[in-house]
Amino acid sequence: MSDRNAIPLAPSAALTVETVLSVRHWNEHLFSFTITRPQSFRFRSGEFVMLGLPGEGRPLLRAYSIASPAWAEELEFLSIKVPDGPLTSKLQLIQPGDQLFLGRKPTGTLVTDALLPGKRLFFLSTGTGLAPFLSLARDPDVYEMFDQVQLVHSVRRVSDLAFREELEAQLAGDPLVQDQALVQFSYLPTVTREPFPTNQRIGTLIENGALFTGPNMAGEKRLDPETDRIMLCGSMEMIKDLSAMLDGMRFEEGSNSKPGHYVIERAFVG
């Protein structure tokens, strides 16, 4: 255990104390990690939770989407590394055995409950916005609700494509969804600043039809509010641009109280 966590953390009414189980550094800017999961912790695929470390006087907390599926025994998260970030400058140094604070109440709008029934489901993400879709893509209920599931991950560099191998393998080996994912799931990575087979931004992929070319994609080469449902997570610029595009196509934003054609996580975009 690192010196920083030498003093055991204390739980509170809002936070439990969990142990780091594993850490994976994808590159100098990106890492993922797993922690223990309290037996009483329940969440819907796509939700986020507060996560943090001790600070001066009070814990340093930040909202993190849960990347692991709702049935997993461990909780997994994906994070950027910010050298001068109040939390991530410390969080990127965690090692197995260290302790973290975990919020007791997950929440969020990137959930299937906020969407109307449809035939095709598109997960559109940039950077660490991939995280909630890693959870949703491994949820058996998603494949019962939709005929086709397409995950798009846009990053600047090839090394930023976290979980690429698992997604390219169409979640082969997943204990609950591998059979369904083999015939219903498609993964489309795109890299904007390095050579790569696909190097266009998500808006361009929608406009030129490349969005609809996955191995299990069928139907119209355009988005249709009658059949298509969309989830957006990532940079504020991407969410702003694509929300405006979808609004122009007569898509209506959904929420937990009023399901719609597409959803974003408003807690992350202000």
Side-chain angles (χ1 to χ4, degrees):
M1 183 177 293
S2 66
D3 293 340
R4 183 186 63 257
N5 280 351
I7 301 176
L9 307 187
S12 67
L15 303 169
T16 64
V17 174
E18 305 305 324
T19 301
V20 177
L21 299 174
S22 67
V23 183
R24 182 174 182 178
H25 293 275
W26 298 91
N27 57 28
E28 69 274 25
H29 303 296
L30 187 68
F31 70 109
S32 57
F33 55 97
T34 61
I35 65 173
T36 53
R37 176 178 181 172
Q39 289 188 344
S40 60
F41 189 85
R42 299 288 182 270
F43 70 96
R44 295 177 296 173
S45 299
E47 288 188 318
F48 68 87
V49 69
M50 302 306 293
L51 200 67
L53 290 167
E56 294 183 6
R58 60 181 180 178
L60 287 170
L61 300 172
R62 179 187 160 192
Y64 275 89
S65 292
I66 304 169
S68 46
W71 49 262
E73 296 181 358
E74 305 169 354
L75 297 176
E76 187 163 25
F77 301 91
L78 181 63
S79 178
I80 58 172
K81 303 176 184 180
V82 181
D84 56 352
L87 176 59
T88 56
S89 61
K90 299 178 179 180
L91 194 62
Q92 64 184 291
L93 303 176
I94 58 172
Q95 302 170 16
D98 285 352
Q99 293 182 321
L100 299 177
F101 287 118
L102 173 72
R104 295 182 186 272
K105 295 183 178 181
T107 187
T109 51
L110 290 176
V111 293
T112 54
D113 292 344
L115 291 175
L116 294 166
K119 294 184 178 180
R120 302 191 297 189
L121 176 60
F122 295 88
F123 300 135
L124 306 182
S125 65
T126 60
T128 56
L130 172 71
F133 303 146
L134 291 170
S135 178
L136 283 154
R138 291 177 284 181
D139 187 332
D141 291 344
V142 168
Y143 297 92
E144 296 297 326
M145 297 174 65
F146 298 94
D147 297 333
Q148 302 167 45
V149 179
Q150 168 86 301
L151 192 162
V152 181
H153 189 203
S154 176
V155 297
R156 295 178 178 181
R157 304 182 305 164
V158 176
S159 65
D160 293 327
L161 290 172
F163 299 93
R164 177 185 175 187
E165 291 184 4
E166 295 94 322
L167 295 170
E168 285 185 335
Q170 293 176 271
L171 306 174
D174 185 281
L176 294 187
V177 304
Q178 64 173 353
D179 293 339
Q180 293 164 300
L182 183 63
V183 295
Q184 293 175 249
F185 178 77
S186 299
Y187 168 60
L188 178 59
T190 181
V191 179
T192 59
R193 296 191 182 180
E194 289 182 351
F196 196 72
T198 304
N199 58 12
Q200 296 162 323
R201 297 183 182 277
I202 297 174
T204 304
L205 297 176
I206 295 172
E207 292 171 346
N208 66 19
L211 179 72
F212 311 97
T213 58
N216 290 318
M217 292 301 298
E220 294 290 332
K221 301 297 183 183
R222 61 182 179 85
L223 292 175
D224 185 344
E226 292 295 318
T227 57
D228 298 329
R229 303 294 173 256
I230 301 161
M231 292 184 169
L232 307 175
C233 192
S235 70
M236 292 183 64
E237 180 184 8
M238 180 273 283
I239 290 176
K240 180 181 178 181
D241 291 346
L242 293 189
S243 294
M245 176 184 289
L246 293 172
D247 290 342
M249 296 177 179
R250 297 182 295 107
F251 281 77
E252 295 183 0
E253 183 181 349
S255 66
N256 281 296
S257 60
K258 185 181 179 181
H261 304 118
Y262 77 95
V263 289
I264 67 175
E265 186 48 76
R266 291 208 165 269
F268 293 158
V269 300

